[in-house]
């Protein structure tokens, strides 16, 4: 009888630890990351100089396509393997801001623009061909990069 009681208590404790472990893993697991907003060119340079892989999006306020892209991105679940940054080009910065950005990203011509950066270079650019059905294009591109 005493052995049964000890066995039952041991099993109960093991189950409690197991359930607690599962709960802890679920609570601390990174299932989704958000797009990280950048508010100055200095920060873009710092990120660029890290030589890490990342995705960066250049956007502009009151831009129809940028707003459409933002709505699509809100639905996506990023896995956190590749950081995703967003920089909104302002009217305040004018051409000077744009020229500074072009020094770092020579291919930058318009907003929105999205690049995958690796080894100090934008090695892949998302070019959306069909803005009416852009969600699938964005998702496919990000899946190929293993970002979602």
């Amino acid at each position: 009888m005493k052995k049964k009681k000890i066995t039952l208590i041991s099993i109960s404790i093991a189950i409690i630890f197991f359930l607690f472990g599962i709960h802890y893993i679920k609570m601390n697991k990174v299932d989704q990351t958000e797009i990280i907003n950048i508010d100055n060119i200095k920060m873009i340079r710092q990120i660029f100089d890290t030589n890490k892989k990342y995705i960066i999006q250049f956007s502009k306020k009151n831009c129809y396509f940028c707003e459409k892209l933002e709505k699509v991105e809100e639905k996506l679940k990023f896995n956190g393997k590749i950081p995703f940054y967003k920089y909104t080009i302002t009217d305040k910065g004018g051409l000077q801001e744009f020229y500074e950005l072009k020094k770092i990203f020579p291919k930058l011509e318009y907003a929105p623009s999205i690049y995958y950066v690796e080894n100090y270079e934008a090695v892949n650019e998302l070019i959306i061909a069909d803005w009416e059905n852009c969600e699938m294009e964005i998702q496919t591109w990000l899946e190929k990069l293993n970002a979602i």
Side-chain angles (χ1 to χ4, degrees), residues 32-37 78 80 82-85:
Q32 179 178 356
T33 61
E34 296 178 1
I35 295 174
I36 303 161
N37 287 305
F78 298 93
I82 301 174
F84 193 118
Y85 299 99

Side-chain angles (χ1 to χ4, degrees), residues 132-143:
E132 294 305 314
N133 300 302
C134 64
E135 188 169 345
M136 189 58 147
E137 287 184 61
I138 295 166
Q139 187 160 345
T140 302
W141 188 75
L142 290 170
E143 283 172 355

Side-chain angles (χ1 to χ4, degrees), residues 9-52:
I9 291 172
S10 298
I11 291 171
S12 298
I13 291 172
I15 290 172
I16 290 170
F17 276 111
F18 177 75
L19 293 174
F20 178 77
I22 289 174
H23 176 72
Y24 180 80
I25 289 168
K26 282 186 177 181
M27 295 302 291
N28 292 302
K29 185 178 177 188
V30 178
D31 285 333
Q32 179 178 356
T33 61
E34 296 178 1
I35 295 174
I36 303 161
N37 287 305
I38 302 172
D39 60 1
N40 63 63
I41 295 175
K42 183 179 178 182
M43 194 170 180
I44 291 174
R45 278 197 199 100
Q46 289 173 345
I47 294 165
F48 188 79
D49 289 341
T50 63
N51 192 27
K52 292 184 179 178

